[in-house]
């Protein structure tokens, strides 16, 4: 296989990444001439990895923890979305030129679209202020959310995120809710959409949730970024109250498809294969 057809995901740790299962499923299904592997790249090895990429060793890569921000100085160009989010999860290598993208935002948007959920004119609460939350806030601003409230355990990080998007959001469109007030705020405000962008509920702490169950009501939409397990305590509580629950596996799938579209310069309709793909990923989550 020529190196121009090689793809990879880099991170540390990387052994539990679902991206190889996801991308290899898509590569097989759409008969693409790509290979995709997971590479453990420690922080000290990042410059050498980026040099390999620049010299044509790969067509492109996905970037995950802890490199989504530290990779920025190695790039020649960053697309507008990645620049606004301040993080890159996909890189394309084209004749020695490296361009960075953030497909987490598109993954979030497409996942909601697939569930026929519109953000336009809605009020949302986003829990968390890490890389995932940044992608969500950007996606929701783009999609025309009326107001986005952000709540994070470390207040300074929430303020940083709000400041980073200050030029992009309208006056009062993005506001902070103190972490200690989030439950009472929820009960008083009843936002349309609640997004868990914290890692609470992620395996092995599967009983944790960023909110108590009683704050959900039936006309809400609850979206979790956590995908392991697929049905988190947060989503179970939302569903029990009659709310619509959207799991994090969908965002993972859609960000991966968007990355493959960048590398292959093609568009993929995954509606027919979605259930098979989800099953394959569910199996991969179960295996040790
Ligand atoms: P970060 O490490 O950048 O951020 C973690 C977030 O979780 C922070 O807001 C942190 O708060 C919060 N948090 C962690 N532990 C606790 C706790 N005990 N109590 C309260 N808050 C806590 O991670 P990411 O933003 O990259 O990822 C967050 C989650 O989203 C992960 O589970 C990740 O797997 C998932 N994700 C899923 C994607 C998908 O495609 N489905 C895409 C991106 C992320 P604080 O700042 O106070 O530490």
């Amino acid at each position: 296989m020529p190196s121009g057809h090689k793809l990879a995901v880099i991170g540390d740790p990387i052994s539990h990444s679902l991206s190889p299962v996801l991308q290899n499923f898509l590569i097989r299904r759409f008969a693409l001439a790509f290979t995709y592997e997971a590479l453990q790249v420690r922080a000290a090895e990042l410059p050498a990895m980026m040099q390999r990429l620049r010299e044509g060793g790969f067509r492109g890569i996905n970037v995950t923890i802890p490199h989504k921000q530290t990779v920025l100085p190695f790039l020649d160009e960053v697309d507008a979305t990645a620049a606004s989010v301040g993080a890159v999860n996909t890189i394309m290598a084209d004749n020695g030129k490296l361009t960075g993208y953030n497909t987490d935002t598109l993954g979030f948007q497409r996942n909601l679209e697939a569930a026929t959920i519109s953000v336009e004119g809605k009020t949302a609460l986003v829990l968390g202020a890490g890389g995932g939350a940044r992608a969500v806030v950007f996606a929701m601003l783009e999609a025309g959310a009326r107001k986005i409230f952000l709540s994070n355990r470390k207040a300074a990080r929430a303020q940083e995120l709000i400041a980073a998007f200050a030029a992009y959001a309208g006056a009062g469109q993005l506001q902070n809710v103190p972490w200690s007030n989030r439950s009472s705020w929820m009960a008083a405000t009843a936002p349309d959409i609640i997004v868990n962008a914290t890692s609470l509920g992620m395996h092995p702490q599967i009983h944790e949730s960023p909110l108590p169950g009683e704050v959900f009501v039936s006309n809400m939409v609850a979206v979790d970024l956590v995908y392991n397990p697929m049905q988190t305590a947060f989503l179970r509580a939302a569903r029990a109250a009659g709310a619509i629950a959207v799991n994090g596996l969908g965002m993972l799938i859609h960000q991966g498809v968007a990355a493959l579209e960048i590398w292959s310069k093609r568009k993929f309709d995954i509606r027919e294969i979605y259930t098979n793909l989800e099953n394959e990923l569910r199996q991969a989550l179960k295996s040790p």
Side-chain angles (χ1 to χ4, degrees):
M1 182 69 64
S3 58
H5 293 270
K6 282 175 71 176
L7 301 170
V9 56
I10 66 161
D12 182 27
I14 199 64
S15 59
H16 288 94
S17 171
L18 280 183
S19 289
V21 177
L22 167 61
Q23 294 294 351
N24 283 312
F25 181 99
L26 295 169
I27 287 166
R28 277 197 311 277
R29 176 62 183 78
F30 295 108
L32 303 174
F34 285 130
T35 61
Y36 190 102
E37 62 188 317
L39 296 176
Q40 184 178 26
V41 173
R42 296 189 177 88
E45 297 163 340
L46 189 61
M49 176 66 212
M50 297 309 289
Q51 190 56 28
R52 240 178 112 188
L53 183 60
R54 189 178 290 282
E55 286 167 0
F58 295 86
R59 171 78 172 154
I61 57 170
N62 278 135
V63 179
T64 189
I65 292 171
H67 305 310
K68 282 187 179 184
Q69 286 173 302
T70 49
V71 84
L72 284 164
F74 296 95
L75 304 177
D76 300 299
E77 219 172 277
V78 174
D79 91 328
T81 303
S84 304
V85 174
V88 157
N89 77 331
T90 301
I91 301 174
M92 170 76 149
D94 221 347
N95 289 320
K97 183 181 164 197
L98 304 184
T99 308
Y101 302 86
N102 186 306
T103 66
D104 284 338
T105 48
L106 205 53
F108 181 78
Q109 277 166 345
R110 285 187 183 175
N111 192 32
L112 289 193
E113 273 164 32
T116 62
I117 291 158
S118 165
V119 170
E120 197 175 351
K122 303 279 172 60
T123 296
L125 173 67
V126 178
L127 300 153
R134 280 178 171 253
V136 167
V137 167
F138 181 80
M140 286 191 154
L141 287 171
E142 277 245 300
R146 192 168 71 84
K147 278 196 174 194
I148 302 169
F149 294 89
L150 187 85
S151 192
N152 192 55
R153 179 181 58 174
K154 291 183 189 135
R157 219 169 165 200
Q159 295 297 356
E160 243 171 65
L161 191 157
I162 290 170
F165 285 100
Y168 196 78
Q173 197 184 6
L174 184 55
Q175 294 181 30
N176 183 47
V177 171
W179 184 249
S180 54
N181 291 358
R182 67 196 187 286
S183 300
S184 54
W185 181 91
M186 266 286 289
T189 314
D192 304 302
I193 303 173
I194 304 102
V195 183
N196 176 30
T198 73
S199 44
L200 287 170
M202 196 167 77
H203 184 82
Q205 266 81 43
I206 59 168
H207 300 296
E208 290 182 350
S209 171
L211 285 171
E214 61 272 15
V215 297
F216 295 103
V217 294
S218 66
N219 53 355
M220 289 175 170
V221 175
V223 186
D224 210 330
L225 262 56
V226 172
Y227 53 81
N228 183 15
M230 256 173 85
Q231 299 310 326
T232 56
F234 171 79
L235 292 184
R236 277 200 309 276
R239 196 175 290 114
I244 296 168
V246 181
N247 72 57
L249 208 56
M251 177 173 168
L252 184 85
I253 290 173
H254 287 287
Q255 65 75 32
V257 171
L260 195 59
E261 288 180 343
I262 290 169
W263 298 318
S264 64
K265 300 184 176 164
R266 283 179 54 179
K267 291 278 170 214
F268 301 111
D269 185 344
I270 59 162
R271 280 173 298 184
E272 271 185 19
I273 59 166
Y274 192 88
T275 307
N276 286 346
L277 177 50
E278 202 180 52
N279 285 338
E280 184 125 338
L281 293 170
R282 204 194 304 240
Q283 284 306 320
L285 283 175
K286 276 188 200 150
S287 45

